[in-house]
Amino acid sequence: MNTPQPLTDMTRWSHAFAAEVLKAGDLAIDLTAGRGHDSLFLAQCVDSNSHGSVLAFDIQPEAVASTLERLENNHITATRITRPQQIEGPGVFLLTASHERLALFVPRPPKVIMANLGYLPGGDHTIATQAQSSLPAIKTALEELATGGRLIVVVYIGHDQGQEESQVIAAELQRLQPRDWHVIKMVPFICTQAPYLLVVEKRREKMSQRDLLLRS
Ligand SMILES: C[S@@+](CC[C@H](N)C(=O)[O-])C[C@H]1O[C@@H](n2cnc3c(N)ncnc32)[C@H](O)[C@@H]1O
């Protein structure tokens, strides 16, 4: 029997919330590839070898190499890209770039956009996600997400700039309108510094001023 993941392990829940909406053929995006656990999971959900696509970002070449290795070890075809035009057909596309560049690379509305924030496990802990880049990436993610799609973020407040990052993301999500979005936060109750989870679901595209007037 597999050892169960701890109840408070938010990556476990991030995968459960992604699997609930993903199907073969979808596009999923990993904003922080890291060691490739999330990219591999997303690739399996969308059946990237035959049907769907995964686009994964990381600023560290070490992380992209590590993700590529994990995918290959699991018989998932993956390609490093540098230009949006290289995203063609099914597959996993890996980009050594900041997730702020998401808008340039997203080829169609993604069903899931995942971000596991913080630093690379087993890597340089001084290189971690930061508000100045994760906030623009999250704003773009909200715009690009497919209707019914989910933005899933594991927020790690234990690193140097984690508190600031957590606060700016919270402020951004608090501006969302309940008629257009569902948002939940899952927090370990007795470990206040542990990572927590945000899941944002797009209920429908934002209504234009004209649509709002027609409805009133
Ligand atoms: C906690 S790790 C991600 C774990 C990963 N999802 C996995 O499954 O192994 C966070 C990653 O975010 C990356 N990162 C930091 N700033 C970034 C940025 N602006 N754009 C993309 N990746 C970034 C780090 O290099 C690190 O690899």
Side-chain angles (χ1 to χ4, degrees):
M1 202 175 88
N2 288 339
T3 316
Q5 286 169 278
L7 182 67
T8 52
D9 179 346
M10 291 298 146
T11 58
R12 152 201 178 148
W13 296 112
S14 71
H15 288 191
F17 281 107
E20 211 174 52
V21 293
L22 282 176
K23 59 181 189 327
D26 284 337
L27 168 67
I29 294 185
D30 186 351
L31 293 176
T32 55
R35 297 286 176 206
H37 300 277
D38 297 325
S39 291
L40 172 61
F41 178 78
L42 295 171
Q44 290 167 336
C45 287
V46 303
D47 187 10
S48 66
N49 278 352
S50 321
H51 294 98
S53 312
V54 175
L55 173 60
F57 291 79
D58 205 293
I59 44 170
Q60 296 193 68
E62 180 189 344
V64 172
S66 190
T67 298
L68 190 59
E69 189 182 346
R70 184 174 301 283
L71 292 165
E72 285 174 354
N73 288 343
N74 285 276
H75 313 290
I76 301 281
T77 312
T79 317
R80 289 173 190 260
I81 60 159
T82 53
R83 290 177 294 113
Q85 294 79 358
Q86 293 169 295
I87 303 174
E88 262 185 34
V92 179
F93 302 93
L94 302 176
L95 198 51
T96 310
S98 173
H99 40 223
E100 286 163 277
R101 302 186 68 201
L102 174 62
L104 285 176
F105 283 86
V106 63
R108 58 191 167 102
K111 201 62 172 295
V112 162
I113 302 179
M114 192 172 272
N116 191 339
L117 303 178
Y119 52 74
L120 179 65
D124 181 347
H125 289 196
T126 62
I127 306 174
T129 55
Q130 311 187 15
Q132 67 194 56
S133 46
S134 48
L135 182 62
I138 281 172
K139 285 184 179 178
T140 306
L142 295 172
E143 278 169 28
E144 300 289 346
L145 207 58
T147 303
R150 290 178 178 172
L151 167 66
I152 300 171
V153 188
V154 178
V155 186
Y156 179 47
I157 47 179
H159 69 96
D160 278 354
Q161 289 157 352
Q163 285 286 355
E164 184 198 354
E165 189 176 36
S166 165
Q167 283 164 10
V168 298
I169 292 171
E172 181 64 25
L173 299 187
Q174 273 157 6
R175 289 148 42 103
L176 297 177
Q177 295 296 323
R179 66 168 181 260
D180 300 329
W181 301 91
H182 288 306
V183 185
I184 63 168
K185 180 177 180 181
M186 189 184 265
V187 193
F189 193 58
I190 52 174
C191 298
T192 50
Q193 289 300 301
Y196 67 87
L197 180 72
L198 295 165
V199 184
V200 185
E201 186 176 273
K202 187 181 269 192
R203 302 180 68 184
R204 62 179 186 194
E205 290 300 327
K206 202 166 134 185
M207 289 185 120
S208 65
Q209 282 302 328
R210 182 176 170 277
D211 289 340
L212 285 171
L213 282 172
L214 284 174
R215 277 170 61 97
S216 59

